[in-house]
Amino acid sequence: MKMTCLRASAMALALMAAPLSVLGSASAETIRVSYATAADHPYGLGVKKFAEVVEAKTGGRIRVRGFPSGQIGPEVQSISAAQGGILEVVVTSTAALSGVDKAFGVFDLPYIFETDREADTILDGPVGTEMLRRLDSKGLVGLCFWEAGFHQVTNSRRPIKGLDDFRGLKIRTIQNPVMIDVVNTLGSNAVPMPYTEVYTSLETKAIDGQTGTYPLVFANKIFEVQKYITEANLFYAPVTLLMSKKYFDGLSPADQAIMRDACAEARTTERDANRALSPEALKQMQAAGLQSNVLDAATIGAIKEKLRPVVDKHMKALDPEIVAALQTERAKLGRGSAASGK
């Protein structure tokens, strides 16, 4: 295991350290895409579609090679590499982008989206367009939004059916202040850690549970070391396909348009795959012994009320123009104020 990790680290460092000009035809003909999941996850299917479209529309002048499972590096490291111009493309959660632009923290808030339709309408509309535009000054080009989906809660101690059931559970979160506050406010103890450490930590009982989407829990075999999963839709996790601005600016206008078109076509593939996989993943995990339940509307309402101070606190730290635009779009969809948590 240690030798495997060392080899993976060495590969990542070599890829990061090598300038584009010495990586064969990478700068002119090959786009490398770094992503954290396995190749057969919806991310990987999206990358495959992106590659097919780019290669078809450029007549093979530009090829795309995906590097799954964090081979090049974790999300934050890959974002930095893209900013520096030594990696062409990274697929990353918006949570990891909060360190690049705090405005992306709006997507970390609980229940900011409640349905796929809401997410698609807002992310593919004016709000999403403006969020991606903000990355231009950060050395990145946001091509479009994909998705990881809605986060559910797993644990090994008891089914979660009400607020009291969260109390005392040690729940893993990413190293994100919003999500840490959410978990702690619900009465659990937030334990921030990289996702690569989650399986072992659950297996050894160092933590009791974690939050994640059905496809993620399934793909990473989290269900093997958990007894319960609760559908809470606590967070919705958007994903961005980011391109190095240095690389993008070196493309012709026609090729730049191809990149955006390819992202949009791959977006449909990735989202459709993710949404189709979610119920199938749950079904297979249930067959393997994972016990599941769905929180009712009254319980979801109680959770939102409990989390209102968290939403208000973190909303105040965000760009007011982004908050106002988001509230306007939510209102069009029949949703209340984002700051209210309703």
Side-chain angles (χ1 to χ4, degrees):
M1 177 66 75
K2 179 180 286 187
M3 186 59 66
T4 299
C5 292
L6 288 172
R7 282 196 294 266
S9 298
M11 177 183 178
L13 288 171
L15 285 166
M16 291 302 187
L20 292 177
S21 60
V22 301
L23 284 172
S25 59
S27 62
E29 300 175 1
T30 302
I31 295 174
R32 293 159 301 156
V33 185
S34 174
Y35 60 104
T37 69
D40 58 356
H41 182 274
Y43 285 17
L45 301 180
V47 170
K48 181 180 179 182
K49 181 65 175 179
F50 179 76
E52 290 172 355
V53 175
V54 168
E55 292 173 15
K57 291 191 173 184
T58 63
R61 285 187 297 104
I62 300 177
R63 303 183 67 82
V64 178
R65 182 182 178 190
F67 287 84
S69 303
Q71 292 175 25
I72 287 180
E75 289 182 333
V76 172
Q77 183 179 347
S78 293
I79 291 170
S80 295
Q83 288 178 296
I86 58 174
L87 173 67
E88 293 83 16
V89 180
V90 55
V91 179
T92 179
S93 66
T94 55
L97 274 175
S98 296
V100 175
D101 187 331
K102 291 181 180 179
F104 279 87
V106 72
F107 299 131
D108 300 333
L109 296 171
Y111 298 106
I112 199 69
F113 301 131
E114 292 189 347
T115 67
D116 295 336
R117 175 177 171 269
E118 275 188 9
D120 292 352
T121 300
I122 292 175
L123 292 173
D124 299 343
V127 172
T129 299
E130 171 59 20
M131 295 297 287
L132 294 177
R133 185 199 63 77
R134 295 172 68 101
L135 295 171
D136 289 351
S137 63
K138 310 293 185 180
L140 300 165
V141 174
L143 296 179
C144 69
F145 285 99
W146 293 0
E147 74 164 19
F150 289 99
H151 275 231
Q152 318 309 344
V153 185
T154 71
N155 83 98
S156 58
R157 289 176 55 183
R158 55 179 172 266
I160 296 174
K161 297 183 178 180
L163 268 172
D164 288 345
D165 295 321
F166 284 98
R167 187 167 294 129
L169 295 177
K170 291 178 288 185
I171 301 291
R172 178 266 176 183
T173 72
I174 66 171
Q175 293 169 305
N176 178 291
V178 178
M179 296 180 181
I180 291 170
D181 274 0
V182 165
V183 170
N184 287 336
T185 300
L186 290 176
S188 298
N189 299 309
V191 183
M193 68 172 62
Y195 205 80
T196 52
E197 299 175 14
V198 172
Y199 186 97
T200 299
S201 297
L202 292 170
E203 187 176 35
T204 60
K205 307 298 184 184
I207 57 175
D208 300 311
Q210 56 88 60
T211 72
T213 66
Y214 285 132
L216 192 65
V217 172
F218 179 67
N220 289 282
K221 301 187 183 300
I222 298 298
F223 64 93
E224 294 179 345
V225 288
Q226 296 280 261
K227 189 173 182 179
Y228 307 101
I229 189 165
T230 298
E231 184 169 306
N233 289 342
L234 192 57
F235 304 105
Y236 174 86
V239 168
T240 52
L241 190 72
L242 303 176
M243 180 165 279
S244 164
K245 193 170 190 301
K246 181 177 180 180
Y247 180 82
F248 186 84
D249 287 349
L251 297 172
S252 68
D255 284 347
Q256 290 178 351
I258 286 172
M259 297 303 159
R260 295 190 187 279
D261 290 344
C263 187
E265 289 192 42
R267 173 180 64 203
T268 300
T269 297
E270 193 273 342
R271 286 177 179 169
D272 287 350
N274 197 61
R275 292 165 191 178
L277 179 58
S278 289
E280 180 60 29
L282 176 59
K283 182 178 178 181
Q284 293 195 41
M285 290 188 293
Q286 289 170 324
L290 189 67
Q291 298 180 36
S292 68
N293 68 290
V294 179
L295 295 183
D296 59 30
T299 302
I300 294 292
I303 291 174
K304 289 181 182 179
E305 187 65 27
K306 183 77 172 177
L307 294 177
R308 183 180 298 190
V310 175
V311 175
D312 290 343
K313 169 188 170 183
H314 289 281
M315 192 69 75
K316 290 176 183 176
L318 298 172
D319 186 325
E321 291 186 5
I322 292 296
V323 172
L326 178 62
Q327 290 175 338
T328 297
E329 294 303 311
R330 283 161 56 102
K332 291 178 183 178
L333 297 170
R335 292 284 305 282
S337 164
S340 72
K342 293 181 179 179

